[in-house]
Amino acid sequence: MKRDCLSLVGVSVTQDAKSPFWVAQWSLSNGARVKRSTKVPVEGGLFQGERLSKVQARKRALLVAQELAAAAQVEAERVDNLSVRELFDTVLKGKLGRLSVATYANARTTYAQFCEWLGKRRAQEPARLVTRADIKQWVTDRRAEVRCKTVQHGLYVLRAAFNWALDAELIARNPCDRVSVPPDGKEERVVHEAFSQEEVQVLVEKLPDEWAAAVRCCLGTFGQRLGDIRTLRWDQFDWERRVVNMTTGKTGRRLQQPMLAGFYEWARARYEWAQGLGGDAAVWVLP
């Protein structure tokens, strides 16, 4: 490398045999050197519409180098002071449109809960100040309130956010690394058993009408999630083909669930009754 440097408060310009432009250099607070092209030609010539001599080009390159270093310093200070709340807001903006509505909402809820746990003051402090001890204490406090799997999901969401910040060089380490969630205790474990036909019949008979209808729709669409059932619209029912068109909220998967005879007859009768009522009942299956 051919070298010809001018220095001013740690900022310098140098020639690089691989580049026709002056190269700016400056030091970071940790001693590392940064290099950026000034785009000013070493031998002089046109730069931003102005023709420069070789001497003028070197002087202009140093001015550009100072501007680059100053801008980099401002950005470094901004990044260094990026708050926890700002970090989560930035990550959420990046997720918008790439995740299902439910997954996005769950991430937003987890971020809000963690900020609430930190407290207003600490949530506004730099994200780099969050420690592994903080995450461990958050896990302990959450486990006192909810089951293992719920906390694991929240930890996964937080880890992904801090990983994004780590990849973007906003933080030096991920505080969620090597943090585990205590498993459910014996008294917390729940054995999930299928409802018998008799139990389902009792639910349909005893529940208020709208919840009884929700149970019927759940069974009639082969066990779809409650959120998908509660947002069913009548225009999703294809009466000619006898299918229900659905897009799952969790994965965004499109389904065409066939209607069995009993469910079809019940749904068609309820549809005709709802059209007579008008209003929301004519639009939503469970208004």
Side-chain angles (χ1 to χ4, degrees):
M1 174 187 293
K2 182 182 177 182
R3 200 170 179 82
D4 182 10
C5 293
L6 294 174
S7 297
L8 181 64
V9 193
V11 182
S12 64
V13 290
T14 182
Q15 294 182 49
D16 188 326
K18 297 180 180 180
S19 173
F21 305 115
W22 284 102
V23 177
Q25 291 191 128
W26 63 87
S27 296
L28 299 177
S29 57
N30 62 6
R33 294 289 285 176
V34 177
K35 292 183 179 182
R36 295 287 188 275
S37 175
T38 65
K39 302 300 181 182
V40 179
V42 172
E43 299 299 326
L46 282 177
F47 176 71
Q48 295 181 346
E50 182 180 357
R51 185 167 295 281
L52 304 173
S53 67
K54 186 174 181 179
V55 173
Q56 290 172 327
R58 189 168 65 172
K59 291 180 179 179
R60 179 64 63 84
L62 184 54
L63 292 175
V64 173
Q66 291 171 329
E67 293 173 357
L68 290 173
Q73 180 63 26
V74 170
E75 178 62 14
E77 290 176 356
R78 185 193 71 80
V79 166
D80 199 45
N81 293 312
L82 187 74
S83 72
V84 177
R85 196 177 297 280
E86 288 171 332
L87 167 61
F88 290 157
D89 287 344
T90 302
V91 172
L92 276 175
K93 288 178 183 177
K95 291 178 180 294
L96 190 61
R98 297 191 299 109
L99 301 176
S100 69
V101 174
T103 302
Y104 179 87
N106 288 338
R108 183 176 56 190
T109 298
T110 297
Y111 297 151
Q113 288 173 339
F114 186 72
C115 286
E116 183 179 357
W117 179 85
L118 280 177
K120 186 175 180 180
R121 180 181 62 82
R122 288 206 63 197
Q124 296 298 339
E125 289 182 350
R128 58 183 169 79
L129 298 181
V130 176
T131 65
R132 185 177 294 117
D134 291 327
I135 301 298
K136 287 182 176 180
Q137 187 59 53
W138 173 79
V139 166
T140 299
D141 292 348
R142 285 291 287 161
R143 274 297 284 116
E145 301 171 347
V146 295
R147 300 285 177 82
C148 170
K149 193 166 185 178
T150 302
V151 183
Q152 284 177 334
H153 181 268
L155 182 60
Y156 169 82
V157 171
L158 292 180
R159 181 179 285 116
F162 283 109
N163 265 340
W164 177 89
L166 185 63
D167 291 341
E169 299 183 351
L170 303 181
I171 58 176
R173 70 201 184 291
N174 190 329
C176 297
D177 286 348
R178 300 195 302 280
V179 176
S180 58
V181 180
D184 288 337
K186 188 175 182 180
E187 67 283 356
E188 292 179 298
R189 296 192 184 99
V190 176
V191 177
H192 296 283
E193 296 179 349
F195 284 101
S196 66
Q197 290 187 356
E198 291 76 14
E199 289 170 328
V200 171
Q201 187 62 38
V202 170
L203 288 174
V204 171
E205 291 175 356
K206 301 296 183 181
L207 286 173
D209 175 70
E210 204 166 279
W211 282 102
V215 172
R216 286 181 180 273
C217 289
C218 181
L219 294 174
T221 56
F222 301 92
Q224 295 307 304
R225 294 173 181 273
L226 181 60
D228 296 330
I229 296 302
R230 295 292 292 169
T231 55
L232 271 177
R233 303 184 312 276
W234 286 119
D235 60 13
Q236 292 175 248
F237 286 70
D238 186 332
W239 302 113
E240 291 184 5
R241 299 175 59 207
R242 296 197 174 202
V243 297
V244 182
N245 298 301
M246 306 185 72
T247 300
T248 61
K250 183 176 182 180
T251 64
R253 191 159 57 103
R254 294 184 178 182
L255 303 174
Q256 286 191 335
Q257 302 292 68
M259 289 186 275
L260 300 179
F263 178 63
Y264 172 86
E265 292 165 2
W266 171 84
R268 186 62 189 244
R270 191 176 182 89
Y271 167 74
E272 292 173 355
W273 167 75
Q275 298 311 298
L277 292 178
D280 286 345
V283 178
W284 304 96
V285 179
L286 305 166

